[in-house]
Amino acid sequence: MPLSRSARDGITVDPIAAIPIRINGSINERIAGPVEGFFVHHRDRLVWVHVVMFLFFLGIIFLPLFLPEAVENSTPLNDFTRFANYAMWGLWFPLVFLSVILTGRSWCGILCPMGAASAWANKKGLQRPIPAWVRWEGTPIISFLLITVLGQTVGVRDHPEAVAEVFGGTLLLAFVLGFFYGRNKRAWCRHMCPIGLLLGVFSRIGAVQFAPKRKKPGGDRFTEKGVCPTMIDIPRKEESRHCIECFRCVNPQSKGGLFLRLRHAGEEIEQIRKHHPNPYEVVFLFLGTGIALGGFLWLVLPVYQQLRQSVGGWFIEREWYWIGESGPWWLMSVHPERREVFNWLDFGMIVTFMLGVMLILALLLTVTTGVSAWLAGRVGGDLSVSERFVELGYQYAPVAMVSLILGLGGELFAPLTQLGLSQETVGYLKAGLFLVGLVWSLYLGARILINQGVALNSLWLPLLPGVLGSCAVGLAWWPAVFGL
């Protein structure tokens, strides 16, 4: 149960390990209190931050469309198109994920231009009730998968037109959804944003929490009443994933609402049963990691080209020549001036390969997690197998996040080679970062199992399948680490 302000400076007992620990009251008083006060005091001025970020975002995604082609030897320092690409994939993508560990979903509530656009549209819009198909918890999973696959087929990492389509289209969808649905709410941020879902899952390992001052029983609930823009029932709040840290519910002088609490990173997953474990999050964690992996591996593995040639030959033998024709620009990359033109064969192979890798990895993680859940029950774990499965599925969050940063945000490390480091040295740095994620995942798995009642002397048995699953994720991302 979240701690009240009166308990911040006291002594409590770890309910898992039964070891007295001191609540980080002094840290909360010195850091959390001033931060809370600052954002509450300047809450009305955040709109100007949103305006600046919105204009910057528009410039990043649309201005390169009107500029000349970047020359081959240009850099982010002397060409805006290169700068925009690096800002998107070398800075924004990986750093937003890393920021979740320290500040939770602060990006969503303080900086995100899409969420702000959706909120602005909602104030002027129709404010209709949010329909069931939007509120379905599988909706953001589908949104993420579609955006990820489309980004690969149109070349979102290489072509400014693709960046404008994917991110501009996402911005338009956020605006439209906000215009039609919700009353002073962010239906987009809660129900459909693909990045929001990703950050929401990873925010559970973050070091900040907005906790109720007066906790009510009954578990985390959805409600369209109240001040929360992402429809959290504030007195019953238990999980971090929907909280965008907008500070609307924070009032230091009030006896109710939420307060900013610092915690050690990973605490929420260690004690996940107290924080509304959700099977949809585990499904997304498995599928999202797999689809992102597929989006990277088709670019680097020779087996993809071998499969492409075999499938293409099969179609040609049957004189189905349409497979070699290019499709619409909004569905696949058609850029002859840059010597890249996809045809229907390329489109079908990319989509199939990504979905295939996704299903294989998801199946592997499902098996390892299922075996862990079953073994945990054999050596003293409580709850049912399905409940243990959902809890143990969260152990992969750190290794999944690091994998995404290394694979899809690898441009973050590009400047290191320009500073004189060799590719091999950079590879070892990446491997070290992945090792941190791997060890962290193993630690979380152990803590979850202890919470389930597994004795320390039997811990290794149900933990072993989780080790194998995390190592499998690492091996799959190996080309991203060393560029092989």
Side-chain angles (χ1 to χ4, degrees):
M1 179 178 295
L3 297 171
S4 65
R5 287 187 180 277
S6 61
R8 284 183 176 182
D9 296 313
I11 301 293
T12 188
V13 175
D14 186 327
I16 303 172
I19 300 174
I21 58 176
R22 179 173 295 276
I23 298 302
N24 54 347
S26 59
I27 296 178
N28 271 292
E29 292 297 329
R30 293 198 308 267
I31 300 178
V35 170
E36 181 182 278
F38 175 83
F39 280 101
V40 170
H41 180 71
H42 296 285
R43 185 162 44 201
D44 294 337
R45 297 184 177 92
L46 288 179
V47 63
W48 298 109
V49 177
H50 296 156
V51 170
V52 172
M53 288 300 300
F54 185 78
L55 294 176
F56 180 75
F57 186 75
L58 289 181
I60 288 292
I61 65 176
F62 290 119
L63 190 56
L65 298 177
F66 305 98
L67 298 177
E69 287 285 328
V71 297
E72 187 172 348
N73 60 349
S74 61
T75 70
L77 297 178
N78 57 28
D79 185 275
F80 184 81
T81 301
R82 301 285 190 195
F83 167 76
N85 186 272
Y86 182 75
M88 186 70 71
W89 302 110
L91 296 177
W92 173 77
F93 187 87
L95 293 182
V96 163
F97 285 131
L98 289 174
S99 72
V100 171
I101 299 177
L102 298 176
T103 64
R105 287 186 65 179
S106 58
W107 161 264
C108 301
I110 299 174
L111 298 174
C112 180
M114 295 183 186
S118 182
W120 295 338
N122 188 254
K123 293 180 180 179
K124 305 295 183 181
L126 303 180
Q127 298 189 344
R128 294 176 178 173
I130 303 174
W133 67 269
V134 173
R135 289 186 284 107
W136 178 52
E137 291 196 83
T139 299
I141 299 177
I142 295 175
S143 172
F144 178 83
L145 297 181
L146 289 176
I147 289 294
T148 303
V149 172
L150 179 64
Q152 290 296 309
T153 61
V154 299
V156 73
R157 294 166 61 86
D158 300 311
H159 307 296
E161 297 85 356
V163 172
E165 177 189 352
V166 173
F167 289 95
T170 304
L171 177 62
L172 179 62
L173 285 175
F175 188 89
V176 170
L177 194 75
F179 182 84
F180 279 101
Y181 301 121
R183 181 179 295 273
N184 295 320
K185 303 300 179 186
R186 289 193 180 190
W188 170 260
C189 299
R190 166 103 189 196
H191 298 300
M192 291 197 71
C193 178
I195 298 299
L197 174 62
L198 205 61
L199 298 181
V201 174
F202 294 142
S203 71
R204 287 187 179 271
I205 61 176
V208 298
Q209 175 190 15
F210 282 68
K213 296 178 184 177
R214 293 184 173 182
K215 183 74 170 65
K216 290 185 178 181
D220 203 287
R221 295 181 182 179
F222 170 92
T223 178
E224 295 187 45
K225 299 179 181 179
V227 70
C228 180
T230 52
M231 292 152 279
I232 299 171
D233 189 353
I234 291 174
R236 293 180 172 85
K237 182 179 182 293
E238 293 179 347
E239 57 181 316
S240 298
R241 65 170 178 145
H242 293 307
C243 179
I244 61 173
E245 302 182 11
C246 62
F247 286 88
R248 291 189 189 180
C249 59
V250 177
N251 185 350
Q253 283 71 45
S254 172
K255 296 182 179 180
L258 305 183
F259 71 93
L260 178 62
R261 171 183 177 262
L262 301 183
R263 59 188 183 183
H264 69 265
E267 176 186 302
E268 186 168 327
I269 289 183
E270 292 176 31
Q271 302 179 19
I272 189 61
R273 67 173 52 189
K274 298 181 180 180
H275 298 283
H276 195 218
N278 190 304
Y280 282 94
E281 283 187 295
V282 175
V283 169
F284 168 73
L285 199 58
F286 292 1
L287 295 181
T289 304
I291 200 75
L293 176 63
F296 174 78
L297 291 182
W298 80 267
L299 292 166
V300 299
L301 291 186
V303 66
Y304 170 79
Q305 294 298 334
Q306 296 169 3
L307 288 172
R308 180 182 179 277
Q309 292 179 5
S310 299
V311 173
W314 187 88
F315 276 93
I316 295 301
E317 288 175 1
R318 286 153 181 79
E319 299 183 352
W320 293 349
Y321 299 118
W322 60 267
I323 198 71
E325 299 175 357
S326 60
W329 62 268
W330 52 268
L331 195 59
M332 61 189 73
S333 179
V334 184
H335 301 284
E337 72 282 3
R338 302 185 191 115
R339 300 184 297 276
E340 182 176 280
V341 177
F342 287 173
N343 51 39
W344 286 109
L345 174 63
D346 294 311
F347 175 80
M349 287 299 301
I350 292 171
V351 173
T352 303
F353 190 86
M354 291 179 66
L355 294 179
V357 172
M358 177 190 75
L359 292 176
I360 291 173
L361 185 63
L363 178 61
L364 175 63
L365 294 180
T366 298
V367 170
T368 56
T369 307
V371 172
S372 290
W374 180 78
L375 290 174
R378 303 287 292 182
V379 293
D382 58 4
L383 304 178
S384 65
V385 174
S386 61
E387 290 172 315
R388 292 196 299 270
F389 178 93
V390 173
E391 290 185 359
L392 287 167
Y394 284 95
Q395 69 181 300
Y396 300 108
V399 73
M401 184 175 71
V402 172
S403 297
L404 289 172
I405 293 172
L406 294 178
L408 302 184
E411 289 295 319
L412 176 66
F413 301 91
L416 296 179
T417 57
Q418 299 176 5
L419 295 176
L421 297 181
S422 66
Q423 289 288 353
E424 184 179 13
T425 301
V426 174
Y428 284 122
L429 289 175
K430 292 180 179 180
L433 181 60
F434 181 82
L435 183 61
V436 171
L438 177 63
V439 172
W440 195 0
S441 284
L442 300 184
Y443 173 78
L444 292 181
R447 297 295 291 175
I448 293 171
L449 287 168
I450 293 172
N451 249 333
Q452 293 179 355
V454 177
L456 291 177
N457 60 353
S458 303
L459 194 62
W460 66 272
L461 184 60
L463 186 61
L464 183 59
V467 175
L468 297 177
S470 295
C471 289
V473 174
L475 290 175
W477 283 101
W478 191 262
V481 176
F482 289 103
L484 301 179

